[in-house]
Amino acid sequence: MSDRDTEVRQVGQLPEIVVRGGQPLRGEIQVEASKNATLPVMAAALLTAEPVTLPGIPWLHDVDTLRRVLVSIGVGAERDGRSLTIEARDIDPFAAPEHLVRRMRASFLIAGPLLARFGVARVPLPGGCAIGSRPIDLHLKGLQALGADVESGNGYIEFRAPRLHGANIYLDFPSVGATENLLMAASLADGWTVIENAAQEPEVVDLANFINAIGGEVRGAGTPELRVRGQSHMHGTTYQVIPDRIEAGTYLIAGAATGGDVTVGPIVSEHLKPLLAKLREAGAVLEDAGDYVRVTSDGSLQAIDVKTMPYPGFPTDLQAPLMAALIRAKGTSVMTETVFENRYMQVPELRRMGADIKIEGRTALVTGTSRLTGASLRASDLRAAAALVIAALSAEGASDISDAYHLDRGYYRLEEKLASVGAEIERCRCSEEP
Ligand code: EPZ
């Protein structure tokens, strides 16, 4: 295991990516453990004082940020190569650092487990971000239903509950984070909790499986109704989280967009069904072998209509990457983003390459054009950055992408993986003044 496997690039370290488009991608790409399963499972390790070992962790920027949040409240979080062992023994539930929680909103997932285990938690208010205001009202309403007193002030939220009790909770929206926070809190509450209109994402199911692996009792994961019987305490375990369906989907889209032949794995292909259906509709050929998926395309995709929805609908995290493939499709695609209010940050940058995209409220009309040219681009958020890379791979000429550190939040060694299947892509310091 080389050091580079555990290296976590810091923000701004290598700000630029340069891509020369026109090469069809051909080959196999390794899929990492899911970022959006790893983060809640790391938070859920707070539910027990015994060691929890997570092998095969991708050292993504967001994963390292949460590790640092855990360490700052007294958690032992030792890395050994790609493995992370978390030991939540002597914890200070008041010490979560504002600068880290504000940087990565998933840090807020420590609130539920801290409150459930210690009866108190003081967590900085997570900021909004480029894709939306990202409120936490559903988290707060649910924790109050479980018996928490909630006070906010000075940019922090303080939760207190001598003992949480079971409750019937209905989520106005199947929020992934709210479902996860409430699932963790309920797992140590007195009695039964029912969470209705719960999120059904595979990452929520993985968290439920982890909670059951440390002694919890969660039923109905993957359905809109979760039933949780609170326990008095939990024990340690070793747990391998599921593969990252969004990373895998991003590379399948890149393969289709460049007219290539790309195989991604290991993956649970069931988790990618909405994307596989859309890529087939667009004219790509998909081979689904269950634990790996292969896409082949001649590069001339057909326009399709796409509406992002909570799982099992089309994932909002693949809306921008898929748009980057549709800007060269034949015809006009109608894309509707129903999950976040501002998730078209990639559009102005794609227009700089010649893309023809009209935004009308939450709908984007994407009319394909054959004349996509490379340009200087700026990344605004994780998935928009991935979209810019995909567009640059299928454009004529060279593109450079600044603020490329956004990619490191959720894609492990992206440019190396793409280069391994024929992309002309590299990180450089080419924007730095001589
Ligand atoms: C998770 O974010 C993911 N992040 C996101 O992935 C993903 O886009 C999102 O779920 C939707 O699938 C992680 O798992 C770490 P939500 P989360 O709560 O939990 C509204 C990526 O690129 N809402 O399901 O924050 C909210 O404003 C990231 O990997 C409330 O109104 O998403 C949004 O419009 C980006 N009140 C919608 O629900 C609340 O209390 C979905 O948010 C909570 C959410």
Side-chain angles (χ1 to χ4, degrees):
M1 187 70 59
S2 73
D3 289 350
R4 287 166 60 76
D5 272 341
T6 59
E7 170 198 320
V8 175
R9 288 189 183 127
Q10 297 310 318
V11 170
Q13 180 187 2
L14 291 170
E16 294 275 348
I17 281 187
V18 176
V19 180
R20 178 165 293 282
Q23 303 301 327
L25 303 185
R26 290 202 174 86
E28 296 183 6
I29 295 179
Q30 159 100 16
V31 178
E32 307 296 334
S34 163
K35 165 178 85 78
N36 291 349
T38 298
L39 295 171
V41 166
M42 285 170 70
L46 290 167
L47 293 168
T48 176
E50 296 180 17
V52 167
T53 297
L54 307 176
I57 292 280
W59 287 113
L60 299 165
H61 201 268
D62 279 4
V63 169
D64 199 53
T65 299
L66 184 56
R67 185 188 66 80
R68 291 162 63 197
V69 168
L70 293 175
V71 169
S72 65
I73 62 173
V75 174
E78 294 306 314
R79 293 169 35 177
D80 173 12
R82 295 287 294 272
S83 181
L84 172 66
T85 296
I86 295 172
E87 206 164 343
R89 305 190 73 83
D90 311 313
I91 301 299
D92 176 354
F94 288 86
E98 183 165 15
H99 72 287
L100 288 179
V101 175
R102 299 269 330 244
R103 179 188 298 176
M104 206 263 300
R105 108 180 229 101
S107 314
F108 195 70
L109 290 173
I110 66 173
L114 281 178
L115 175 63
R117 176 133 172 252
F118 300 102
V120 67
R122 184 169 183 270
V123 186
L125 265 170
C129 69
I131 63 178
S133 59
R134 313 287 295 268
I136 52 169
D137 56 310
L138 300 177
H139 298 244
L140 304 184
K141 214 166 84 174
L143 291 172
Q144 285 171 315
L146 291 168
D149 292 328
V150 179
E151 270 185 53
S152 64
N154 311 319
Y156 279 80
I157 291 204
E158 209 161 293
F159 304 88
R160 289 184 181 280
R163 187 92 175 96
L164 292 177
H165 55 70
N168 275 307
I169 300 167
Y170 177 83
L171 289 177
D172 299 350
F173 181 88
S175 153
V176 171
T179 303
E180 291 168 342
N181 238 333
L182 299 176
L183 184 52
M184 291 185 279
S187 60
L188 284 179
D190 263 339
W192 281 95
T193 293
V194 177
I195 304 174
E196 294 186 86
N197 197 27
Q200 304 172 64
E201 272 70 3
E203 295 77 23
V204 174
V205 176
D206 213 21
L207 174 63
N209 292 338
F210 172 78
I211 290 172
N212 288 338
I214 60 172
E217 187 173 343
V218 181
R219 300 176 188 172
T223 77
E225 183 172 300
L226 290 179
R227 303 176 75 81
V228 189
R229 188 209 296 255
Q231 308 298 311
S232 53
H233 81 286
M234 306 278 197
H235 55 73
T237 191
T238 294
Y239 191 82
Q240 174 66 56
V241 303
I242 55 172
D244 194 318
R245 63 189 169 106
I246 305 301
E247 183 196 24
T250 303
Y251 292 128
L252 287 172
I253 293 169
T258 57
D261 178 353
V262 171
T263 298
V264 300
I267 187 64
V268 178
S269 64
E270 174 76 17
H271 296 165
L272 273 169
K273 275 175 86 172
L275 173 70
L276 304 189
K278 286 298 166 184
L279 288 177
R280 284 194 180 99
E281 205 181 315
V285 175
L286 276 296
E287 179 192 338
D288 173 355
D291 60 354
Y292 74 82
V293 172
R294 178 179 178 188
V295 62
T296 48
S297 156
D298 62 4
S300 61
L301 300 175
Q302 304 300 317
I304 53 175
D305 294 346
V306 185
K307 186 174 186 180
T308 67
M309 296 290 281
Y311 196 88
F314 186 89
T316 174
D317 293 348
L318 288 177
Q319 174 260 112
L322 185 59
M323 180 185 281
L326 296 175
I327 55 179
R328 287 178 68 242
K330 290 187 181 61
T332 297
S333 300
V334 180
M335 301 189 83
T336 307
E337 172 56 62
T338 71
V339 176
F340 286 105
E341 69 261 29
N342 183 31
R343 206 167 193 181
Y344 289 135
M345 304 287 280
Q346 70 279 4
V347 170
E349 300 304 303
L350 295 177
R351 285 178 178 146
R352 293 169 53 78
M353 303 174 76
D356 178 355
I357 306 168
K358 291 181 186 59
I359 304 291
E360 293 170 3
R362 292 215 171 194
T363 297
L365 300 176
V366 183
T367 302
T369 170
S370 56
R371 289 283 305 147
L372 266 196
T373 54
S376 285
L377 307 166
R378 178 173 295 281
S380 53
D381 61 86
L382 168 57
R383 307 304 176 182
L388 300 187
V389 171
I390 292 170
L393 287 169
S394 57
E396 286 169 29
S399 299
D400 62 73
I401 300 170
S402 53
D403 290 352
Y405 62 84
H406 287 288
L407 286 167
D408 296 331
R409 295 194 55 171
Y411 293 100
Y412 186 71
R413 320 203 87 72
L414 172 133
E415 69 277 6
E416 289 167 30
K417 292 186 179 184
L418 287 171
S420 74
V421 292
E424 286 190 55
I425 181 170
E426 63 171 348
R427 276 194 190 242
C428 69
R429 293 183 173 282
C430 43
S431 69
E432 283 193 343
E433 296 307 312

